[in-house]
Amino acid sequence: MNTRDIKSMEIEELKELMADLGEKPFRAAQIYEWLHKRLAEDYEEMTNLSKSLRQKLKENYPIVSLKPLEIQTSKIDGTQKYLFCLPDGNVIESVLMKYEHGNSVCISSQAGCRMGCRFCASTIGGLTRSLLPSEMLDQVYSIQNLSKERVSNVVVMGTGEPLDNYENLLRFIQILTGEGGLHISQRNVTVSTCGLVPEIRKLAREKLQITLAISLHAPNDEKRRELMPIARKYQMEELLDACREYLQITHRRITFEYSLVKGVNDSPEDAKELAGQIKGMNCHVNLIPVNPIKERSFVKSAKEAVEKFKIKLEKYGINVTIRREMGSDIDGACGQLRKRFIEKERSENEGIFGY
Ligand code: SAH
């Protein structure tokens, strides 16, 4: 951990820091509350701290506070996409979705991604770096501050592979759901993974109440390998075994995400084979008609094919939902806003330097 990144510190670490600075231990609780409950963006707001302490902290422990470079708002359903600038100039995106049951924020866990899923825009430029706990937290905090509405659900389904940033992800969850902060219920936190088997097994033992979502996207290894390079590392059998272990330890129902690509994984036979693979598991399948990206030729399954796929799964006793499309009038697929921004910057620089 970066020992100067104050927003990534748990309360015990803040207490140690106060001791190091010669301050009373109760200062730690005050600062923690300012950062994680009152969502302060600057030490100047922390009026119950002495001026000298504020000054000392300001000089040595900068507060990670993300600034929006762009906010897009859907005219259809109010969904908002935020493009945030990180302290080092990298950009990431987050999404705010408004539902009847509350506001949900989808956050990025990395700038870029190295998993290489074929249909995903986030992975095209590769991985730039993993995000710090503070940078994950502040996507939620900034959006709550900017929208002035409480965030009740958090999904780690934006750019990046959260289990490829394991330690930071865990710290993020602890601070987000802990008592001294926003105290979001762990049951309202979902982590989505492309299927890193050892990390799934490890996560099962962390005594968390979060929901695990697995990006399955195929009914067998052959088809999965075509779409997701990670399937070459871990076979579906190993992945589903890890899921069974996760279920056994946590008793938390697993979600399988399945992006439907026309003519690739959306036939009734695919549905039947998928049902056979996950039969008997406490799970739920979320069908997502693939969001086409211009770099690839994947085509979204027709509405009727999606409906048929759902009915077929249900016939085999599987719980299924079709993901409601949110914000379809703004840069749709995961990672597209960020990618468009990076491409624009590059072409402008080429304009300057390219003669
Ligand atoms: N790396 C994690 C989380 C990020 S992606 C994971 O793989 O789960 C979040 C979800 O969106 C994943 O299920 C991913 O496969 C899916 N996804 C990415 N690009 C998509 C696209 N263009 N259309 C439909 N689903 C997509």
PDB file of all heavy atoms in Angstrom, residues 93-97 99 101 103-109 136 139-140 151-159 162 169 172 176 184 187-192 211 213 257 323:
ATOM      1  N   GLU A  93     -13.869   5.087 -16.413  1.00  0.00           N
ATOM      2  CA  GLU A  93     -15.284   5.458 -16.447  1.00  0.00           C
ATOM      3  C   GLU A  93     -16.105   4.692 -15.421  1.00  0.00           C
ATOM      4  O   GLU A  93     -15.750   3.586 -15.009  1.00  0.00           O
ATOM      5  CB  GLU A  93     -15.854   5.284 -17.853  1.00  0.00           C
ATOM      6  CG  GLU A  93     -15.834   3.878 -18.373  1.00  0.00           C
ATOM      7  CD  GLU A  93     -16.428   3.796 -19.793  1.00  0.00           C
ATOM      8  OE1 GLU A  93     -15.702   4.123 -20.743  1.00  0.00           O
ATOM      9  OE2 GLU A  93     -17.591   3.402 -19.920  1.00  0.00           O
ATOM     10  N   SER A  94     -17.189   5.325 -15.012  1.00  0.00           N
ATOM     11  CA  SER A  94     -18.114   4.729 -14.049  1.00  0.00           C
ATOM     12  C   SER A  94     -19.529   5.076 -14.514  1.00  0.00           C
ATOM     13  O   SER A  94     -19.714   6.031 -15.252  1.00  0.00           O
ATOM     14  CB  SER A  94     -17.929   5.324 -12.651  1.00  0.00           C
ATOM     15  OG  SER A  94     -16.580   5.662 -12.414  1.00  0.00           O
ATOM     16  N   VAL A  95     -20.495   4.301 -14.057  1.00  0.00           N
ATOM     17  CA  VAL A  95     -21.869   4.519 -14.506  1.00  0.00           C
ATOM     18  C   VAL A  95     -22.805   4.585 -13.294  1.00  0.00           C
ATOM     19  O   VAL A  95     -22.660   3.803 -12.350  1.00  0.00           O
ATOM     20  CB  VAL A  95     -22.343   3.351 -15.420  1.00  0.00           C
ATOM     21  CG1 VAL A  95     -23.700   3.667 -16.040  1.00  0.00           C
ATOM     22  CG2 VAL A  95     -21.324   3.047 -16.509  1.00  0.00           C
ATOM     23  N   LEU A  96     -23.756   5.518 -13.346  1.00  0.00           N
ATOM     24  CA  LEU A  96     -24.804   5.598 -12.322  1.00  0.00           C
ATOM     25  C   LEU A  96     -26.121   5.165 -12.956  1.00  0.00           C
ATOM     26  O   LEU A  96     -26.528   5.717 -13.980  1.00  0.00           O
ATOM     27  CB  LEU A  96     -24.928   7.040 -11.815  1.00  0.00           C
ATOM     28  CG  LEU A  96     -26.166   7.366 -10.969  1.00  0.00           C
ATOM     29  CD1 LEU A  96     -26.162   6.601  -9.642  1.00  0.00           C
ATOM     30  CD2 LEU A  96     -26.240   8.873 -10.674  1.00  0.00           C
ATOM     31  N   MET A  97     -26.732   4.154 -12.378  1.00  0.00           N
ATOM     32  CA  MET A  97     -28.025   3.679 -12.894  1.00  0.00           C
ATOM     33  C   MET A  97     -29.088   3.879 -11.819  1.00  0.00           C
ATOM     34  O   MET A  97     -28.858   3.534 -10.658  1.00  0.00           O
ATOM     35  CB  MET A  97     -27.925   2.196 -13.262  1.00  0.00           C
ATOM     36  CG  MET A  97     -27.063   1.961 -14.497  1.00  0.00           C
ATOM     37  SD  MET A  97     -26.465   0.260 -14.610  1.00  0.00           S
ATOM     38  CE  MET A  97     -25.259   0.201 -13.301  1.00  0.00           C
ATOM     39  N   TYR A  99     -32.585   2.943 -10.304  1.00  0.00           N
ATOM     40  CA  TYR A  99     -33.643   1.929 -10.293  1.00  0.00           C
ATOM     41  C   TYR A  99     -34.657   2.302  -9.223  1.00  0.00           C
ATOM     42  O   TYR A  99     -34.379   3.140  -8.360  1.00  0.00           O
ATOM     43  CB  TYR A  99     -33.056   0.558  -9.941  1.00  0.00           C
ATOM     44  CG  TYR A  99     -32.074  -0.002 -10.928  1.00  0.00           C
ATOM     45  CD1 TYR A  99     -30.701   0.042 -10.679  1.00  0.00           C
ATOM     46  CD2 TYR A  99     -32.504  -0.599 -12.112  1.00  0.00           C
ATOM     47  CE1 TYR A  99     -29.780  -0.496 -11.577  1.00  0.00           C
ATOM     48  CE2 TYR A  99     -31.598  -1.142 -13.014  1.00  0.00           C
ATOM     49  CZ  TYR A  99     -30.239  -1.086 -12.736  1.00  0.00           C
ATOM     50  OH  TYR A  99     -29.352  -1.624 -13.619  1.00  0.00           O
ATOM     51  N   HIS A 101     -35.446   0.493  -6.781  1.00  0.00           N
ATOM     52  CA  HIS A 101     -34.952   0.074  -5.469  1.00  0.00           C
ATOM     53  C   HIS A 101     -33.739   0.871  -5.004  1.00  0.00           C
ATOM     54  O   HIS A 101     -33.194   0.624  -3.942  1.00  0.00           O
ATOM     55  CB  HIS A 101     -34.650  -1.428  -5.469  1.00  0.00           C
ATOM     56  CG  HIS A 101     -33.560  -1.826  -6.422  1.00  0.00           C
ATOM     57  ND1 HIS A 101     -33.821  -2.320  -7.680  1.00  0.00           N
ATOM     58  CD2 HIS A 101     -32.220  -1.787  -6.315  1.00  0.00           C
ATOM     59  CE1 HIS A 101     -32.671  -2.574  -8.294  1.00  0.00           C
ATOM     60  NE2 HIS A 101     -31.687  -2.251  -7.481  1.00  0.00           N
ATOM     61  N   ASN A 103     -30.150   3.698  -6.136  1.00  0.00           N
ATOM     62  CA  ASN A 103     -29.146   4.048  -7.148  1.00  0.00           C
ATOM     63  C   ASN A 103     -27.982   3.076  -7.103  1.00  0.00           C
ATOM     64  O   ASN A 103     -27.465   2.745  -6.039  1.00  0.00           O
ATOM     65  CB  ASN A 103     -28.623   5.458  -6.888  1.00  0.00           C
ATOM     66  CG  ASN A 103     -29.634   6.512  -7.291  1.00  0.00           C
ATOM     67  OD1 ASN A 103     -30.674   6.190  -7.889  1.00  0.00           O
ATOM     68  ND2 ASN A 103     -29.356   7.755  -6.963  1.00  0.00           N
ATOM     69  N   SER A 104     -27.577   2.661  -8.287  1.00  0.00           N
ATOM     70  CA  SER A 104     -26.507   1.681  -8.389  1.00  0.00           C
ATOM     71  C   SER A 104     -25.341   2.300  -9.159  1.00  0.00           C
ATOM     72  O   SER A 104     -25.551   2.943 -10.182  1.00  0.00           O
ATOM     73  CB  SER A 104     -27.080   0.480  -9.148  1.00  0.00           C
ATOM     74  OG  SER A 104     -26.148  -0.548  -9.175  1.00  0.00           O
ATOM     75  N   VAL A 105     -24.137   2.116  -8.652  1.00  0.00           N
ATOM     76  CA  VAL A 105     -22.965   2.627  -9.365  1.00  0.00           C
ATOM     77  C   VAL A 105     -22.109   1.458  -9.837  1.00  0.00           C
ATOM     78  O   VAL A 105     -21.822   0.538  -9.067  1.00  0.00           O
ATOM     79  CB  VAL A 105     -22.131   3.577  -8.466  1.00  0.00           C
ATOM     80  CG1 VAL A 105     -20.782   3.892  -9.096  1.00  0.00           C
ATOM     81  CG2 VAL A 105     -22.882   4.878  -8.222  1.00  0.00           C
ATOM     82  N   CYS A 106     -21.749   1.504 -11.106  1.00  0.00           N
ATOM     83  CA  CYS A 106     -20.863   0.486 -11.670  1.00  0.00           C
ATOM     84  C   CYS A 106     -19.471   1.102 -11.757  1.00  0.00           C
ATOM     85  O   CYS A 106     -19.286   2.130 -12.400  1.00  0.00           O
ATOM     86  CB  CYS A 106     -21.384   0.102 -13.062  1.00  0.00           C
ATOM     87  SG  CYS A 106     -20.287  -1.015 -13.943  1.00  0.00           S
ATOM     88  N   ILE A 107     -18.512   0.480 -11.077  1.00  0.00           N
ATOM     89  CA  ILE A 107     -17.170   1.081 -11.037  1.00  0.00           C
ATOM     90  C   ILE A 107     -16.147   0.266 -11.820  1.00  0.00           C
ATOM     91  O   ILE A 107     -16.310  -0.930 -12.055  1.00  0.00           O
ATOM     92  CB  ILE A 107     -16.658   1.257  -9.583  1.00  0.00           C
ATOM     93  CG1 ILE A 107     -16.398  -0.102  -8.914  1.00  0.00           C
ATOM     94  CG2 ILE A 107     -17.608   2.089  -8.752  1.00  0.00           C
ATOM     95  CD1 ILE A 107     -15.290  -0.059  -7.904  1.00  0.00           C
ATOM     96  N   SER A 108     -15.067   0.935 -12.188  1.00  0.00           N
ATOM     97  CA  SER A 108     -13.928   0.269 -12.808  1.00  0.00           C
ATOM     98  C   SER A 108     -12.956  -0.158 -11.717  1.00  0.00           C
ATOM     99  O   SER A 108     -12.821   0.519 -10.694  1.00  0.00           O
ATOM    100  CB  SER A 108     -13.199   1.238 -13.750  1.00  0.00           C
ATOM    101  OG  SER A 108     -14.035   1.584 -14.832  1.00  0.00           O
ATOM    102  N   SER A 109     -12.282  -1.287 -11.928  1.00  0.00           N
ATOM    103  CA  SER A 109     -11.291  -1.746 -10.959  1.00  0.00           C
ATOM    104  C   SER A 109      -9.860  -1.592 -11.483  1.00  0.00           C
ATOM    105  O   SER A 109      -8.897  -1.707 -10.733  1.00  0.00           O
ATOM    106  CB  SER A 109     -11.548  -3.208 -10.588  1.00  0.00           C
ATOM    107  OG  SER A 109     -11.570  -4.019 -11.752  1.00  0.00           O
ATOM    108  N   MET A 136     -11.081   3.386  -6.323  1.00  0.00           N
ATOM    109  CA  MET A 136     -12.352   2.673  -6.494  1.00  0.00           C
ATOM    110  C   MET A 136     -13.420   3.331  -5.625  1.00  0.00           C
ATOM    111  O   MET A 136     -14.533   3.597  -6.069  1.00  0.00           O
ATOM    112  CB  MET A 136     -12.173   1.197  -6.134  1.00  0.00           C
ATOM    113  CG  MET A 136     -11.330   0.456  -7.165  1.00  0.00           C
ATOM    114  SD  MET A 136     -11.349  -1.325  -6.881  1.00  0.00           S
ATOM    115  CE  MET A 136      -9.753  -1.525  -6.142  1.00  0.00           C
ATOM    116  N   GLN A 139     -14.900   6.702  -6.916  1.00  0.00           N
ATOM    117  CA  GLN A 139     -15.890   6.689  -8.002  1.00  0.00           C
ATOM    118  C   GLN A 139     -17.288   6.750  -7.384  1.00  0.00           C
ATOM    119  O   GLN A 139     -18.159   7.483  -7.846  1.00  0.00           O
ATOM    120  CB  GLN A 139     -15.740   5.425  -8.852  1.00  0.00           C
ATOM    121  CG  GLN A 139     -14.405   5.366  -9.595  1.00  0.00           C
ATOM    122  CD  GLN A 139     -14.219   4.031 -10.291  1.00  0.00           C
ATOM    123  OE1 GLN A 139     -15.024   3.625 -11.127  1.00  0.00           O
ATOM    124  NE2 GLN A 139     -13.153   3.329  -9.955  1.00  0.00           N
ATOM    125  N   VAL A 140     -17.468   5.989  -6.304  1.00  0.00           N
ATOM    126  CA  VAL A 140     -18.763   5.985  -5.612  1.00  0.00           C
ATOM    127  C   VAL A 140     -18.982   7.332  -4.914  1.00  0.00           C
ATOM    128  O   VAL A 140     -20.049   7.947  -5.039  1.00  0.00           O
ATOM    129  CB  VAL A 140     -18.817   4.836  -4.571  1.00  0.00           C
ATOM    130  CG1 VAL A 140     -20.157   4.831  -3.854  1.00  0.00           C
ATOM    131  CG2 VAL A 140     -18.538   3.494  -5.235  1.00  0.00           C
ATOM    132  N   VAL A 151     -26.108   6.458  -2.874  1.00  0.00           N
ATOM    133  CA  VAL A 151     -25.821   5.248  -3.653  1.00  0.00           C
ATOM    134  C   VAL A 151     -26.100   4.054  -2.743  1.00  0.00           C
ATOM    135  O   VAL A 151     -25.582   3.989  -1.634  1.00  0.00           O
ATOM    136  CB  VAL A 151     -24.340   5.233  -4.110  1.00  0.00           C
ATOM    137  CG1 VAL A 151     -23.995   3.911  -4.770  1.00  0.00           C
ATOM    138  CG2 VAL A 151     -24.055   6.409  -5.043  1.00  0.00           C
ATOM    139  N   SER A 152     -26.932   3.124  -3.206  1.00  0.00           N
ATOM    140  CA  SER A 152     -27.237   1.989  -2.334  1.00  0.00           C
ATOM    141  C   SER A 152     -26.654   0.668  -2.837  1.00  0.00           C
ATOM    142  O   SER A 152     -26.541  -0.283  -2.083  1.00  0.00           O
ATOM    143  CB  SER A 152     -28.753   1.850  -2.154  1.00  0.00           C
ATOM    144  OG  SER A 152     -29.379   1.768  -3.415  1.00  0.00           O
ATOM    145  N   ASN A 153     -26.290   0.624  -4.119  1.00  0.00           N
ATOM    146  CA  ASN A 153     -25.718  -0.605  -4.694  1.00  0.00           C
ATOM    147  C   ASN A 153     -24.436  -0.282  -5.450  1.00  0.00           C
ATOM    148  O   ASN A 153     -24.376   0.743  -6.129  1.00  0.00           O
ATOM    149  CB  ASN A 153     -26.687  -1.226  -5.705  1.00  0.00           C
ATOM    150  CG  ASN A 153     -27.892  -1.813  -5.034  1.00  0.00           C
ATOM    151  OD1 ASN A 153     -27.970  -2.995  -4.759  1.00  0.00           O
ATOM    152  ND2 ASN A 153     -28.849  -0.955  -4.723  1.00  0.00           N
ATOM    153  N   VAL A 154     -23.479  -1.183  -5.351  1.00  0.00           N
ATOM    154  CA  VAL A 154     -22.236  -0.993  -6.108  1.00  0.00           C
ATOM    155  C   VAL A 154     -21.924  -2.279  -6.857  1.00  0.00           C
ATOM    156  O   VAL A 154     -21.964  -3.378  -6.276  1.00  0.00           O
ATOM    157  CB  VAL A 154     -21.064  -0.614  -5.172  1.00  0.00           C
ATOM    158  CG1 VAL A 154     -19.744  -0.598  -5.929  1.00  0.00           C
ATOM    159  CG2 VAL A 154     -21.313   0.765  -4.539  1.00  0.00           C
ATOM    160  N   VAL A 155     -21.681  -2.159  -8.144  1.00  0.00           N
ATOM    161  CA  VAL A 155     -21.276  -3.327  -8.926  1.00  0.00           C
ATOM    162  C   VAL A 155     -19.886  -3.083  -9.500  1.00  0.00           C
ATOM    163  O   VAL A 155     -19.619  -2.031 -10.066  1.00  0.00           O
ATOM    164  CB  VAL A 155     -22.289  -3.678 -10.051  1.00  0.00           C
ATOM    165  CG1 VAL A 155     -23.609  -4.127  -9.465  1.00  0.00           C
ATOM    166  CG2 VAL A 155     -22.540  -2.525 -10.983  1.00  0.00           C
ATOM    167  N   VAL A 156     -19.001  -4.054  -9.290  1.00  0.00           N
ATOM    168  CA  VAL A 156     -17.646  -3.913  -9.827  1.00  0.00           C
ATOM    169  C   VAL A 156     -17.657  -4.639 -11.169  1.00  0.00           C
ATOM    170  O   VAL A 156     -17.286  -5.806 -11.279  1.00  0.00           O
ATOM    171  CB  VAL A 156     -16.592  -4.493  -8.865  1.00  0.00           C
ATOM    172  CG1 VAL A 156     -15.194  -4.119  -9.344  1.00  0.00           C
ATOM    173  CG2 VAL A 156     -16.813  -3.972  -7.450  1.00  0.00           C
ATOM    174  N   MET A 157     -18.170  -3.922 -12.165  1.00  0.00           N
ATOM    175  CA  MET A 157     -18.411  -4.503 -13.488  1.00  0.00           C
ATOM    176  C   MET A 157     -17.974  -3.561 -14.587  1.00  0.00           C
ATOM    177  O   MET A 157     -18.313  -3.757 -15.748  1.00  0.00           O
ATOM    178  CB  MET A 157     -19.915  -4.735 -13.680  1.00  0.00           C
ATOM    179  CG  MET A 157     -20.373  -6.105 -13.304  1.00  0.00           C
ATOM    180  SD  MET A 157     -22.032  -6.360 -13.899  1.00  0.00           S
ATOM    181  CE  MET A 157     -22.493  -7.724 -12.858  1.00  0.00           C
ATOM    182  N   GLY A 158     -17.250  -2.522 -14.214  1.00  0.00           N
ATOM    183  CA  GLY A 158     -16.747  -1.605 -15.237  1.00  0.00           C
ATOM    184  C   GLY A 158     -15.455  -2.154 -15.816  1.00  0.00           C
ATOM    185  O   GLY A 158     -15.211  -3.368 -15.788  1.00  0.00           O
ATOM    186  N   THR A 159     -14.607  -1.267 -16.310  1.00  0.00           N
ATOM    187  CA  THR A 159     -13.343  -1.702 -16.900  1.00  0.00           C
ATOM    188  C   THR A 159     -12.479  -2.443 -15.878  1.00  0.00           C
ATOM    189  O   THR A 159     -12.381  -2.028 -14.723  1.00  0.00           O
ATOM    190  CB  THR A 159     -12.574  -0.467 -17.415  1.00  0.00           C
ATOM    191  OG1 THR A 159     -13.383   0.175 -18.387  1.00  0.00           O
ATOM    192  CG2 THR A 159     -11.237  -0.864 -18.030  1.00  0.00           C
ATOM    193  N   PRO A 162     -11.579  -7.354 -11.575  1.00  0.00           N
ATOM    194  CA  PRO A 162     -11.393  -7.071 -10.153  1.00  0.00           C
ATOM    195  C   PRO A 162     -10.510  -8.092  -9.426  1.00  0.00           C
ATOM    196  O   PRO A 162      -9.739  -7.727  -8.543  1.00  0.00           O
ATOM    197  CB  PRO A 162     -12.810  -7.074  -9.592  1.00  0.00           C
ATOM    198  CG  PRO A 162     -13.716  -7.498 -10.683  1.00  0.00           C
ATOM    199  CD  PRO A 162     -12.990  -7.383 -11.964  1.00  0.00           C
ATOM    200  N   LEU A 169      -9.046  -4.659  -4.109  1.00  0.00           N
ATOM    201  CA  LEU A 169     -10.497  -4.882  -4.168  1.00  0.00           C
ATOM    202  C   LEU A 169     -11.045  -5.186  -2.770  1.00  0.00           C
ATOM    203  O   LEU A 169     -12.065  -4.652  -2.347  1.00  0.00           O
ATOM    204  CB  LEU A 169     -10.822  -6.052  -5.109  1.00  0.00           C
ATOM    205  CG  LEU A 169     -12.299  -6.450  -5.110  1.00  0.00           C
ATOM    206  CD1 LEU A 169     -13.113  -5.510  -5.996  1.00  0.00           C
ATOM    207  CD2 LEU A 169     -12.496  -7.888  -5.557  1.00  0.00           C
ATOM    208  N   PHE A 172     -11.104  -2.173  -0.623  1.00  0.00           N
ATOM    209  CA  PHE A 172     -12.203  -1.329  -1.109  1.00  0.00           C
ATOM    210  C   PHE A 172     -13.542  -1.801  -0.511  1.00  0.00           C
ATOM    211  O   PHE A 172     -14.328  -1.007   0.017  1.00  0.00           O
ATOM    212  CB  PHE A 172     -12.242  -1.375  -2.649  1.00  0.00           C
ATOM    213  CG  PHE A 172     -13.564  -1.011  -3.261  1.00  0.00           C
ATOM    214  CD1 PHE A 172     -13.974   0.304  -3.333  1.00  0.00           C
ATOM    215  CD2 PHE A 172     -14.402  -2.000  -3.771  1.00  0.00           C
ATOM    216  CE1 PHE A 172     -15.199   0.654  -3.896  1.00  0.00           C
ATOM    217  CE2 PHE A 172     -15.625  -1.666  -4.332  1.00  0.00           C
ATOM    218  CZ  PHE A 172     -16.029  -0.345  -4.392  1.00  0.00           C
ATOM    219  N   LEU A 176     -15.870   0.340   2.028  1.00  0.00           N
ATOM    220  CA  LEU A 176     -17.184   0.726   1.485  1.00  0.00           C
ATOM    221  C   LEU A 176     -18.332   0.214   2.357  1.00  0.00           C
ATOM    222  O   LEU A 176     -19.353   0.875   2.526  1.00  0.00           O
ATOM    223  CB  LEU A 176     -17.334   0.167   0.068  1.00  0.00           C
ATOM    224  CG  LEU A 176     -18.610   0.529  -0.678  1.00  0.00           C
ATOM    225  CD1 LEU A 176     -18.543   1.976  -1.176  1.00  0.00           C
ATOM    226  CD2 LEU A 176     -18.848  -0.403  -1.866  1.00  0.00           C
ATOM    227  N   ILE A 184     -22.510   0.609   3.085  1.00  0.00           N
ATOM    228  CA  ILE A 184     -23.366  -0.050   2.098  1.00  0.00           C
ATOM    229  C   ILE A 184     -23.388  -1.544   2.430  1.00  0.00           C
ATOM    230  O   ILE A 184     -22.355  -2.133   2.739  1.00  0.00           O
ATOM    231  CB  ILE A 184     -22.820   0.204   0.668  1.00  0.00           C
ATOM    232  CG1 ILE A 184     -22.996   1.693   0.319  1.00  0.00           C
ATOM    233  CG2 ILE A 184     -23.506  -0.701  -0.362  1.00  0.00           C
ATOM    234  CD1 ILE A 184     -22.474   2.094  -1.029  1.00  0.00           C
ATOM    235  N   ARG A 187     -24.489  -7.195   0.852  1.00  0.00           N
ATOM    236  CA  ARG A 187     -25.433  -7.867  -0.050  1.00  0.00           C
ATOM    237  C   ARG A 187     -25.749  -7.018  -1.264  1.00  0.00           C
ATOM    238  O   ARG A 187     -26.273  -7.513  -2.257  1.00  0.00           O
ATOM    239  CB  ARG A 187     -26.733  -8.194   0.704  1.00  0.00           C
ATOM    240  CG  ARG A 187     -26.487  -9.270   1.725  1.00  0.00           C
ATOM    241  CD  ARG A 187     -27.679  -9.481   2.627  1.00  0.00           C
ATOM    242  NE  ARG A 187     -27.410 -10.623   3.482  1.00  0.00           N
ATOM    243  CZ  ARG A 187     -27.789 -11.863   3.214  1.00  0.00           C
ATOM    244  NH1 ARG A 187     -28.496 -12.122   2.145  1.00  0.00           N
ATOM    245  NH2 ARG A 187     -27.466 -12.862   4.017  1.00  0.00           N
ATOM    246  N   ASN A 188     -25.460  -5.736  -1.167  1.00  0.00           N
ATOM    247  CA  ASN A 188     -25.701  -4.837  -2.303  1.00  0.00           C
ATOM    248  C   ASN A 188     -24.435  -4.570  -3.112  1.00  0.00           C
ATOM    249  O   ASN A 188     -24.365  -3.603  -3.863  1.00  0.00           O
ATOM    250  CB  ASN A 188     -26.279  -3.506  -1.816  1.00  0.00           C
ATOM    251  CG  ASN A 188     -27.654  -3.670  -1.211  1.00  0.00           C
ATOM    252  OD1 ASN A 188     -28.265  -4.729  -1.338  1.00  0.00           O
ATOM    253  ND2 ASN A 188     -28.144  -2.654  -0.555  1.00  0.00           N
ATOM    254  N   VAL A 189     -23.420  -5.393  -2.902  1.00  0.00           N
ATOM    255  CA  VAL A 189     -22.178  -5.241  -3.663  1.00  0.00           C
ATOM    256  C   VAL A 189     -21.980  -6.486  -4.524  1.00  0.00           C
ATOM    257  O   VAL A 189     -22.073  -7.611  -4.031  1.00  0.00           O
ATOM    258  CB  VAL A 189     -20.962  -5.066  -2.718  1.00  0.00           C
ATOM    259  CG1 VAL A 189     -19.656  -5.029  -3.504  1.00  0.00           C
ATOM    260  CG2 VAL A 189     -21.108  -3.792  -1.882  1.00  0.00           C
ATOM    261  N   THR A 190     -21.772  -6.267  -5.816  1.00  0.00           N
ATOM    262  CA  THR A 190     -21.540  -7.390  -6.729  1.00  0.00           C
ATOM    263  C   THR A 190     -20.165  -7.257  -7.362  1.00  0.00           C
ATOM    264  O   THR A 190     -19.778  -6.179  -7.810  1.00  0.00           O
ATOM    265  CB  THR A 190     -22.609  -7.406  -7.852  1.00  0.00           C
ATOM    266  OG1 THR A 190     -23.889  -7.564  -7.253  1.00  0.00           O
ATOM    267  CG2 THR A 190     -22.375  -8.539  -8.850  1.00  0.00           C
ATOM    268  N   VAL A 191     -19.428  -8.368  -7.374  1.00  0.00           N
ATOM    269  CA  VAL A 191     -18.121  -8.391  -8.034  1.00  0.00           C
ATOM    270  C   VAL A 191     -18.205  -9.359  -9.206  1.00  0.00           C
ATOM    271  O   VAL A 191     -18.610 -10.513  -9.047  1.00  0.00           O
ATOM    272  CB  VAL A 191     -17.019  -8.839  -7.050  1.00  0.00           C
ATOM    273  CG1 VAL A 191     -15.699  -9.097  -7.780  1.00  0.00           C
ATOM    274  CG2 VAL A 191     -16.805  -7.786  -5.970  1.00  0.00           C
ATOM    275  N   SER A 192     -17.835  -8.870 -10.373  1.00  0.00           N
ATOM    276  CA  SER A 192     -17.933  -9.694 -11.585  1.00  0.00           C
ATOM    277  C   SER A 192     -16.543 -10.103 -12.065  1.00  0.00           C
ATOM    278  O   SER A 192     -15.647  -9.271 -12.185  1.00  0.00           O
ATOM    279  CB  SER A 192     -18.639  -8.867 -12.666  1.00  0.00           C
ATOM    280  OG  SER A 192     -18.687  -9.573 -13.873  1.00  0.00           O
ATOM    281  N   THR A 211     -22.230 -10.481  -3.657  1.00  0.00           N
ATOM    282  CA  THR A 211     -22.666 -11.370  -4.729  1.00  0.00           C
ATOM    283  C   THR A 211     -21.528 -11.532  -5.729  1.00  0.00           C
ATOM    284  O   THR A 211     -20.902 -10.551  -6.141  1.00  0.00           O
ATOM    285  CB  THR A 211     -23.889 -10.776  -5.464  1.00  0.00           C
ATOM    286  OG1 THR A 211     -24.953 -10.662  -4.519  1.00  0.00           O
ATOM    287  CG2 THR A 211     -24.334 -11.654  -6.626  1.00  0.00           C
ATOM    288  N   ALA A 213     -20.464 -12.583  -9.446  1.00  0.00           N
ATOM    289  CA  ALA A 213     -20.978 -12.807 -10.802  1.00  0.00           C
ATOM    290  C   ALA A 213     -19.840 -13.371 -11.652  1.00  0.00           C
ATOM    291  O   ALA A 213     -18.708 -12.884 -11.591  1.00  0.00           O
ATOM    292  CB  ALA A 213     -21.482 -11.495 -11.391  1.00  0.00           C
ATOM    293  N   GLU A 257     -23.144 -14.550 -15.902  1.00  0.00           N
ATOM    294  CA  GLU A 257     -23.449 -13.609 -16.979  1.00  0.00           C
ATOM    295  C   GLU A 257     -23.199 -14.303 -18.310  1.00  0.00           C
ATOM    296  O   GLU A 257     -22.211 -15.035 -18.471  1.00  0.00           O
ATOM    297  CB  GLU A 257     -22.557 -12.379 -16.869  1.00  0.00           C
ATOM    298  CG  GLU A 257     -22.915 -11.516 -15.690  1.00  0.00           C
ATOM    299  CD  GLU A 257     -21.758 -10.648 -15.283  1.00  0.00           C
ATOM    300  OE1 GLU A 257     -20.876 -11.156 -14.578  1.00  0.00           O
ATOM    301  OE2 GLU A 257     -21.722  -9.497 -15.701  1.00  0.00           O
ATOM    302  N   ARG A 323     -30.918  -8.882 -19.081  1.00  0.00           N
ATOM    303  CA  ARG A 323     -30.493  -7.593 -18.533  1.00  0.00           C
ATOM    304  C   ARG A 323     -31.172  -6.455 -19.273  1.00  0.00           C
ATOM    305  O   ARG A 323     -31.147  -6.386 -20.493  1.00  0.00           O
ATOM    306  CB  ARG A 323     -28.977  -7.408 -18.598  1.00  0.00           C
ATOM    307  CG  ARG A 323     -28.595  -6.115 -17.881  1.00  0.00           C
ATOM    308  CD  ARG A 323     -27.169  -5.775 -18.027  1.00  0.00           C
ATOM    309  NE  ARG A 323     -26.334  -6.671 -17.258  1.00  0.00           N
ATOM    310  CZ  ARG A 323     -25.007  -6.637 -17.319  1.00  0.00           C
ATOM    311  NH1 ARG A 323     -24.410  -5.783 -18.109  1.00  0.00           N
ATOM    312  NH2 ARG A 323     -24.298  -7.469 -16.609  1.00  0.00           N
TER     313      ARG A 323
END
